[in-house]
Amino acid sequence: MLVAKQKVKKLKLKTHRGAAKRFKITSTGKILRMHSGKRHLLGTKKANRMRRLKKLKLVTHADAKNVHMMLPYG
């Protein structure tokens, strides 16, 4: 009795579109995020603080796993 081999299709994973807009993945696999607090009440914030807020920051190790699940092909 011959059993026909069936090809099993691997399901594609969906990218979380909100996470794709908020996070960037580097070539080494680290995840970058933006700082908060840059949108309003800018007159009270010092220039030095605003320059710090411009830069990207690494996502903490505890949150990185969840972000990787939302961005499977990043």
Side-chain angles (χ1 to χ4, degrees):
M1 180 162 84
L2 293 173
V3 177
K5 289 186 178 180
Q6 294 178 348
K7 289 188 176 181
V8 177
K9 279 190 175 179
K10 194 169 185 182
L11 293 176
K12 293 182 180 179
L13 300 174
K14 289 198 173 186
T15 299
H16 190 285
R17 298 311 300 158
K21 295 170 190 174
R22 288 175 172 88
F23 301 104
K24 302 295 175 207
I25 298 182
T26 64
S27 59
T28 58
K30 295 176 184 174
I31 303 170
L32 300 173
R33 66 167 176 86
M34 297 294 290
H35 282 275
S36 62
K38 282 181 49 182
R39 299 288 181 211
H40 58 87
L41 300 176
L42 301 178
T44 62
K45 294 172 185 161
K46 306 282 185 186
N48 191 18
R49 180 177 171 189
M50 292 303 293
R51 279 194 297 275
R52 264 189 288 122
L53 292 176
K54 280 182 198 175
K55 298 177 182 176
L56 295 174
K57 183 143 176 89
L58 287 176
V59 171
T60 60
H61 182 69
D63 298 328
K65 182 179 177 184
N66 289 333
V67 177
H68 270 297
M69 286 172 56
M70 292 188 276
L71 303 174
Y73 303 109

